[in-house]
Amino acid sequence: MDKPVLLTGAGGRVGQAILGHIGDAYDWRLLDREPLSDEKIPDSVDQTNVYVADITDETAIRNAIEGVGAVIHLAGDPRPEAPWDSVLRNNIDGTQNMFEAAIDAGVEKFAFASSNHAVGAYETDERTPEMYRPHHEFRLDGTELPRPSNLYGVSKATGETLGRYYHDHHDISVVNVRIGNLTQHHPPKEYERGQAMWLSYRDCAHLFACCIDADYDFEIVYGISNNDRKYYSIERAREVLGYDPQDNSAEYTFEGEPLDEA
Ligand SMILES: NC(=O)C1=CN([C@@H]2O[C@H](COP(=O)(O)OP(=O)(O)OC[C@H]3O[C@@H](n4cnc5c(N)ncnc54)[C@H](O)[C@@H]3O)[C@@H](O)[C@H]2O)C=CC1
Ligand SMILES: O=C1O[C@H](COP(=O)(O)O)[C@@H](O)[C@H](O)[C@H]1O
């Protein structure tokens, strides 16, 4: 990508995982509604490329997105228990605003931070907890319809559908990354579901780099590490994006200790 890349929600967990690993690899513009402290900004990014703005503020977004080639859109309310008024504003209105601005600015690629909670209701009482365990065959692969866990999941499924609409009508490349459970240093502790959908920081950064560099039309992929326990397929991310994850929650104890040190 020879144009700048706009990262919304840059100060959050996913944004910092990305910048911590590939902060020097792209010409970033960083946007967050909270000011970013110096340690959250890579040395290669100067203050003129840091925007304190709300994604529902059309004017502010248009300034930030001018001349950008790709958007990684993370900003939003990440809480599974978030109330409707918050997900409606931050996740749905905010995402629609980002797409409109992206189309007007001629952005080529748009990566949207979707969630496991867009499909959480596939985890039925009949399937759980067995589906979280190694060797269990059940897989979601991105071709299934959304089955949200909660209103937050509804907002993520809606963001994916906005991407479908803007791709079909405006020809922007869109990839929806259904992120699992991002944690730093080790998988979620004593949490089978979380270990099955673990996404390490370095795999997260690599996956979003693939979203910037690969060629695609409209995609839905799962964002997890190469876990032995898994019920999300990462084959589509491998095939279309060239995703090659390095981490695996099976290399840690259930309590989160690395096996080679346990
Ligand atoms: N952390 C995880 O494991 C997962 C995260 N995701 C998604 O990834 C995205 C990022 O999540 P996290 O980094 O964990 O959340 P976070 O809360 O750590 O970061 C979100 C960032 O977005 C900013 N933000 C929120 N609303 C905004 C608005 N209206 N305008 C501008 N900035 C705004 C916040 O200030 C914050 O810095 C979210 O969309 C979340 O739904 C999806 C699945 C799993
Ligand atoms: O979408 C998200 O999912 C992860 C995992 O969900 P959980 O219900 O197993 O905790 C969550 O940690 C994250 O905050 C959320 O944005």
Side-chain angles (χ1 to χ4, degrees):
M1 174 58 60
D2 52 7
K3 290 181 180 171
V5 179
L6 176 61
L7 181 68
T8 76
R13 290 168 294 178
V14 180
Q16 289 297 297
I18 293 171
L19 293 174
H21 286 269
I22 56 170
D24 295 330
Y26 298 94
D27 179 9
W28 293 105
R29 294 207 193 150
L30 308 182
L31 184 145
D32 203 294
R33 68 180 173 192
E34 302 296 335
L36 300 184
S37 54
D38 286 347
E39 67 271 15
K40 288 193 166 187
I41 304 173
D43 292 342
S44 55
V45 179
D46 68 48
Q47 279 296 336
T48 60
N49 288 311
V50 180
Y51 295 80
V52 181
D54 196 294
I55 53 169
T56 60
D57 179 343
E58 277 180 44
T59 310
I61 295 309
R62 278 166 199 277
N63 287 335
I65 210 167
E66 186 67 38
V68 157
V71 173
I72 297 179
H73 177 45
L74 310 175
D77 189 333
R79 296 171 299 160
E81 70 283 8
W84 182 246
D85 60 348
S86 178
V87 297
L88 182 61
R89 174 184 162 78
N90 294 299
N91 298 6
I92 299 178
D93 278 346
T95 298
Q96 195 265 344
N97 200 32
M98 289 302 306
F99 270 114
E100 281 290 327
I103 297 304
D104 289 350
V107 168
E108 295 155 37
K109 296 176 189 173
F110 195 108
F112 172 63
S114 186
S115 169
N116 62 89
H117 284 286
V119 288
Y122 284 97
E123 296 166 46
T124 58
D125 289 346
E126 292 71 34
R127 291 188 180 124
T128 59
E130 286 73 21
M131 68 186 284
Y132 305 142
R133 296 180 175 159
H135 315 302
H136 197 274
E137 300 286 302
F138 184 82
R139 292 282 183 280
L140 298 174
D141 65 5
T143 59
E144 60 282 333
L145 288 171
R147 285 182 66 180
S149 329
N150 40 44
L151 294 175
Y152 162 72
V154 171
S155 77
K156 290 295 168 180
T158 305
E160 294 180 2
T161 304
L162 284 167
R164 181 81 245 183
Y165 168 76
Y166 282 100
H167 168 71
D168 285 342
H169 294 271
H170 298 280
D171 208 26
I172 187 171
S173 296
V174 174
V175 57
N176 298 294
V177 182
R178 288 180 178 162
I179 302 171
N181 193 327
L182 178 84
T183 56
Q184 192 169 20
H185 304 312
H186 53 73
K189 294 182 178 178
E190 300 180 16
Y191 182 26
E192 281 191 292
R193 177 175 191 268
Q195 292 173 3
M197 62 164 78
W198 182 45
L199 179 63
S200 72
Y201 268 44
R202 67 173 165 174
D203 287 341
C204 176
H206 162 60
L207 176 53
F208 280 100
C210 293
C211 295
I212 297 169
D213 295 335
D215 290 323
Y216 47 87
D217 294 317
F218 176 84
E219 294 292 337
I220 296 175
V221 300
Y222 283 95
I224 64 169
S225 288
N226 190 24
N227 306 318
D228 285 358
R229 294 174 182 271
K230 63 163 102 55
Y231 54 98
Y232 299 141
S233 169
I234 53 176
E235 290 314 305
R236 190 73 188 162
R238 285 188 191 279
E239 273 168 37
V240 174
L241 303 177
Y243 179 50
D244 183 21
Q246 301 304 303
D247 291 308
N248 180 346
S249 58
E251 291 166 0
Y252 296 79
T253 65
F254 191 55
E255 293 73 30
E257 297 299 323
L259 275 174
D260 54 11
E261 291 173 21

